[in-house]
Amino acid sequence: MLNLSIECSGLYGSVALSDKHQVLGVQDLPRTTSSGQSLASAIQTLIAKHGYRPNLISVTCGPGSFTGLRVGLTVAKMLGWAWQIPIVPVDTLQVIAQQALETIPREQAVIVVPAINAFRKQLFTSAWQASEGQMLQLAPSQVVDAAIWMLSPLVAQPQAAKTCENTWEIWVAGPGLKRYPTAGKDGRWGAAIRQWPEMEPHARWVAQIGWQRYLQGFQVEAHELAANYVRASAAEESSRFDAQKSSPSM
């Protein structure tokens, strides 16, 4: 069961080809060009190298870069329709959380808070609990103000905060930390905070989560695939504001 995985939600994209849990090959997109220019050729190169056409596509559906997500989802839709194969949408923040859990040694249960820069002094974030090899989502993908988040990564996530105890560590990971790092200890809950700003989402982990979600029945057809932008783009918000201003008052 060959799974083609696509990650274009951030600055640097990647693709991977895997057979169930085994990664067969990875292709990082060049950093000198946009994903729109390089994604199709990277997929072609990866598939040609291994000589097999995929039976499944996994793709990050957001949150993340509006442009990058549109590129990745459009290519996934086109290939899914052309090959008549299912597609599994994968949460970008879960990919970051999974990477942190699998690449960093740990001895205790932790709460993982992935973060992506949403610009406008905001972050895309969620929260995950990791214990005994399992991941439980404590808070959905959402937008939070950067100033609040830097003080307490869980302050805008009540369900996750209920789970937090002083004996737990909070792990924060993802490219959002490059712009908005947190303190060494949570300002409200008192838990120690460890940070990994170098955790960029990668197709290798999109493949792993995509396969798990496929086994759980979360695949969709090409025409059903949709982005989870979490927040409207600046252009869309401006258009709505202009429309409200121009509409006659009741």
Side-chain angles (χ1 to χ4, degrees):
M1 186 70 177
L2 293 182
N3 178 12
L4 172 66
S5 302
I6 301 171
E7 170 14 55
C8 288
S9 66
L11 293 176
Y12 312 119
S14 55
V15 294
L17 189 66
S18 59
D19 184 0
K20 297 181 180 178
H21 294 290
Q22 181 182 1
V23 176
L24 303 177
V26 172
Q27 187 89 13
D28 291 330
L29 303 187
R31 301 193 173 191
T32 55
T33 59
S34 68
S35 56
Q37 294 174 298
S38 58
L39 179 58
S41 60
I43 292 173
Q44 184 179 25
T45 299
L46 189 63
I47 293 176
K49 181 177 180 181
H50 295 278
Y52 299 102
R53 197 180 78 179
N55 314 103
L56 174 70
I57 298 172
S58 301
V59 59
T60 43
C61 62
S65 160
F66 285 86
T67 301
L69 289 172
R70 286 178 180 132
V71 169
L73 292 169
T74 298
V75 170
K77 282 185 176 183
M78 292 175 60
L79 293 177
W81 179 82
W83 293 335
Q84 291 296 291
I85 60 176
I87 304 171
V88 178
V90 176
D91 185 291
T92 312
L93 292 167
Q94 183 180 0
V95 175
I96 296 173
Q98 187 80 34
Q99 287 179 217
L101 291 172
E102 296 207 6
T103 56
I104 303 170
R106 67 184 189 279
E107 297 179 355
Q108 62 182 30
V110 297
I111 292 178
V112 185
V113 184
I116 298 173
N117 189 354
F119 299 98
R120 300 184 240 170
K121 297 182 180 181
Q122 294 179 323
L123 288 155
F124 294 122
T125 186
S126 60
W128 301 79
Q129 177 184 337
S131 181
E132 300 179 355
Q134 300 296 319
M135 285 185 66
L136 172 65
Q137 188 172 13
L138 300 177
S141 299
Q142 58 192 279
V143 177
V144 299
D145 289 337
I148 296 175
W149 187 89
M150 286 191 291
L151 175 64
S152 176
L154 295 179
V155 73
Q157 306 180 65
Q159 183 58 43
K162 290 179 182 178
T163 310
C164 183
E165 301 174 2
N166 290 345
T167 56
W168 284 50
E169 281 188 338
I170 299 174
W171 289 8
V172 289
L177 293 173
K178 297 175 183 178
R179 176 72 174 174
Y180 302 111
T182 63
K185 180 175 282 191
D186 186 277
R188 181 169 182 179
W189 309 104
I193 295 179
R194 301 177 68 187
Q195 304 182 58
W196 285 274
E198 67 277 5
M199 289 285 175
E200 299 277 352
H202 196 278
R204 180 184 296 272
W205 281 271
V206 177
Q208 183 181 77
I209 297 172
W211 176 245
Q212 294 170 352
R213 288 178 59 80
Y214 173 74
L215 294 178
Q216 295 167 349
F218 288 107
Q219 67 270 23
V220 299
E221 300 300 321
H223 70 277
E224 299 174 305
L225 183 63
N228 178 23
Y229 294 122
V230 178
R231 182 193 66 191
S233 68
E236 290 170 329
E237 289 181 349
S238 177
S239 177
R240 291 174 187 173
F241 179 73
D242 291 342
Q244 290 174 351
K245 285 177 59 178
S246 61
S247 62
S249 58
M250 299 298 291

